[in-house]
Amino acid sequence: MPPRKRPRGVGKDGASSTGDEAGSALHRPLGTPVPTKLLIARHEHMSAFHESFAALWRQGKLCDVKIFVDSGESFSAHKIVLAAGSDYFKALFTSGMRDSAVSQVTVSEVDAGPMQDILAYLYEQRLEVTPSTLHAIMRAASRLEVAPLLSLAGEFLISELSIDNCVESWSVALDVGRPELE
């Protein structure tokens, strides 16, 4: 079979030698690769996107799952937000097993306060902690596999480290037992 002719203005590597990429797309012969451009979402857009989900969550709108904790308290949420921020929920909702289609989930070994804090973190990408609430939040984040929150909590633990609390901080890190805290 004879070699195919290249369209005028296209080099051996397929790149256009005309320099006019935007205008040449309309006049490109069939089969010629179209140059692509990488579009990157601006940070402000992602913040607005997160804020939209957070507003829906605060209003209790379009929530498709109810989370129950050991105390019996429940929290409404969106499966997509939970799956995006928690490996535990991602595995639960995407497994294809019976539990992936449920609208109610019971999470054991997590108290109501830390569950509320983790939901606030997943929706608002920020969390206020104190040394007294940190341990329970870290245990819940470990149970629900929210790695970014564990990393942030570990950084907070280190920043607050002093001679007065070093044994307690070490105990928290051992209890949670996550690689993010090594």
Side-chain angles (χ1 to χ4, degrees):
M1 180 185 273
R4 296 177 62 195
K5 291 185 177 180
R6 285 187 304 275
R8 210 174 301 174
V10 175
K12 289 182 182 177
D13 61 354
S16 172
S17 60
T18 64
D20 184 19
E21 294 299 316
S24 66
L26 295 176
H27 305 290
R28 190 176 313 279
L30 289 176
T32 304
V34 178
T36 60
K37 293 189 179 194
L38 179 63
L39 298 178
I40 300 172
R42 292 178 32 219
H43 186 269
E44 295 84 26
H45 171 73
M46 293 307 291
S47 294
F49 189 74
H50 257 91
E51 184 54 40
S52 295
F53 269 116
L56 289 169
W57 173 62
R58 281 187 228 106
Q59 296 165 5
K61 292 188 177 178
L62 301 176
C63 294
D64 55 355
V65 68
K66 191 167 285 260
I67 304 165
F68 290 89
V69 294
D70 288 338
S71 66
E73 293 180 66
S74 65
F75 304 89
S76 295
H78 301 94
K79 287 182 180 180
I80 191 74
V81 173
L82 298 175
S86 161
D87 288 343
Y88 171 87
F89 285 116
K90 182 179 182 179
L92 180 70
F93 297 138
T94 63
S95 68
M97 299 180 80
R98 183 180 54 169
D99 286 344
S100 63
V102 298
S103 60
Q104 294 184 355
V105 175
T106 300
V107 177
S108 60
E109 302 174 23
V110 175
D111 294 328
M115 187 73 230
Q116 179 65 40
D117 290 336
I118 287 175
L119 289 172
Y121 172 77
L122 292 176
Y123 279 96
E124 298 168 350
Q125 295 296 292
R126 60 186 171 84
L127 177 64
E128 293 181 30
V129 297
T130 64
S132 63
T133 62
L134 183 64
H135 188 190
I137 291 170
M138 290 176 73
R139 287 184 70 201
S142 178
R143 170 85 171 92
L144 299 174
E145 299 179 37
V146 185
L149 179 54
L150 282 169
S151 294
L152 288 173
E155 290 172 16
F156 176 76
L157 196 63
I158 291 168
S159 72
E160 296 295 311
L161 193 61
S162 70
I163 194 71
D164 297 327
N165 68 11
C166 64
V167 173
E168 183 180 353
S169 297
W170 180 63
S171 175
V172 168
L174 283 177
D175 181 47
V176 174
R178 296 288 299 214
E180 294 91 347
L181 302 176
E182 289 182 5

